[in-house]
Amino acid sequence: MTSPSRLPVLAGLPLAVGAGLAIPVQGRINGALGARLDDGISAAVVSFSTGLLVMILISLLLPRGRAGLARIIPAVRSRAFPPAYVLAGGIGALFVFAQTFTVGILGVALFTVATVTGQTVSGLLVDRLGLGPAGKKSVTGIRIVGCILTIAAVAWAVSPRFATSGSGAESGGGAAALLLPLLLPVAAGFLMSFQQAMNGTATVHYGTPIAATLVNFIAGCLVLWTVLAIKVVVAGPGNPLPAEWWYYLGGPMGCVFIGLGALLVRTLGVLVTGLGMIAGQLMGSLALDVFVPAPGSVVALPTVLGTILTLAAIILATLPWPRGALRGRRPVG
């Protein structure tokens, strides 16, 4: 088994932020495709399927991809890691479901805060349990403060959108009507850290994140194509596929942040990798709203300051602080 080399933290964190930049661009493309098809499930299937085609080509054309491809079945058969890890792509499908079915109810702002909260909390848990390839990481006071600041910063950054979010819920029972839809993005965000840990562990045994990303897209496509088949039987097909090429870029962008996430968790751990991607997501969203604004886009001072505070929170959680900082004693490892 040839494990991918570890990256220095100073190189890994900017890569995590860079990977996060692709997330809002993918969301904008998939959202436009869903509107064009009048079907969020079909849009998710197109996104995952194009991503799968890209990963198949990369796996076949690159020597490292072919080597990783040859290691997938032996690694699973030998139980080098729990076999359930090959189903990590199903978590990505769950996230798409959450996005498709709850953004219209909650609004983008509340959906973002819900997923970030779930992902940040589970990042602490996954690192503490040592499920990722970086091993166990103590739940120190500094890391907890960094997580709380991240959630607060994201809430502040998206706060200008709250005025226009969740209009459907307001007409259907207020806060009580939001509770159940809110649980789905929280759960999807919570499971995302487990997905990154699974992918990172699989990457160590495959020798490359290319193979782990390919397996992710296979699992996600199986789930989404099954759901689409049921939907077509019940409700019939949606609109025909568009001819414009840019509608099909969402899947390749997913390859970028899934592959980089699988590589980076070995160096940064699950929590810091997730926080870096969250910062990139906010920065990408801000750039889109400034340079390519969509209808209803809001760029206000809290958006800018919240994004900056998110970066500060990540630095706080990442720097090598003295052991026992904020606790006055040596943390339990």
Side-chain angles (χ1 to χ4, degrees):
M1 179 183 70
T2 304
S3 299
S5 58
R6 292 177 182 267
L7 291 170
V9 173
L10 290 179
L13 189 57
L15 280 176
V17 175
L21 291 173
I23 297 175
V25 181
Q26 184 199 43
R28 178 76 68 86
I29 292 171
N30 287 346
L33 179 59
R36 179 71 175 267
L37 298 177
D38 194 25
D39 185 354
I41 296 176
S42 294
V45 168
V46 171
S47 180
F48 266 74
S49 298
T50 53
L52 176 59
L53 289 175
V54 169
M55 290 314 305
I56 289 173
L57 288 175
I58 291 175
S59 298
L60 293 176
L61 294 178
L62 297 183
R64 196 168 183 83
R66 292 194 296 271
L69 198 61
R71 294 189 187 104
I72 293 175
I73 294 179
V76 174
R77 282 181 174 173
S78 66
R79 295 183 178 270
F81 52 84
Y85 280 24
V86 300
L87 302 177
I91 296 175
L94 175 63
F95 184 86
V96 171
F97 286 148
Q99 193 175 48
T100 300
F101 293 114
T102 65
V103 166
I105 300 172
L106 302 175
V108 174
L110 196 52
F111 176 86
T112 301
V113 173
T115 53
V116 166
T117 300
Q119 183 178 359
T120 304
V121 171
S122 65
L124 275 174
L125 175 62
V126 170
D127 274 350
R128 181 64 185 87
L129 295 175
L131 299 181
K136 290 186 178 182
K137 292 183 177 292
S138 300
V139 181
T140 62
I142 289 293
R143 288 165 70 84
I144 292 173
V145 170
C147 289
I148 294 173
L149 278 178
T150 297
I151 296 171
V154 171
W156 192 18
V158 301
S159 61
R161 296 178 182 267
F162 280 127
T164 57
S165 292
S167 57
E170 290 174 2
S171 62
L178 289 175
L179 181 59
L180 187 58
L182 195 61
L183 293 177
L184 186 56
V186 169
F190 186 85
L191 290 173
M192 283 178 67
S193 293
F194 289 87
Q195 181 189 30
Q196 288 182 337
M198 294 175 183
N199 288 340
T201 300
T203 293
V204 171
H205 293 281
Y206 298 151
T208 171
I210 296 173
T213 306
L214 173 66
V215 173
N216 253 252
F217 275 96
I218 292 172
C221 279
L222 288 174
V223 172
L224 288 170
W225 274 103
T226 300
V227 174
L228 179 63
I230 296 172
K231 181 260 175 187
V232 169
V233 170
V234 174
N239 295 331
L241 293 174
E244 293 85 350
W245 59 271
W246 61 269
Y247 279 112
Y248 304 95
L249 295 179
M253 289 185 176
C255 299
V256 172
F257 61 76
I258 291 175
L260 280 176
L263 177 66
L264 293 173
V265 290
R266 187 171 181 229
T267 297
L268 303 179
V270 174
L271 175 63
V272 175
T273 298
L275 294 181
M277 288 189 174
I278 289 168
Q281 184 176 351
L282 286 180
M283 293 171 64
S285 297
L286 179 60
L288 282 177
D289 288 346
V290 170
F291 297 108
V292 194
S297 296
V298 179
V299 179
L301 184 61
T303 305
V304 178
L305 295 180
T307 301
I308 295 173
L309 182 58
T310 303
L311 293 172
I314 293 164
I315 293 172
L316 180 68
T318 306
L319 288 178
W321 299 95
R323 292 178 64 83
L326 290 189
R327 296 179 61 175
R329 61 185 177 86
R330 186 185 181 95
V332 179

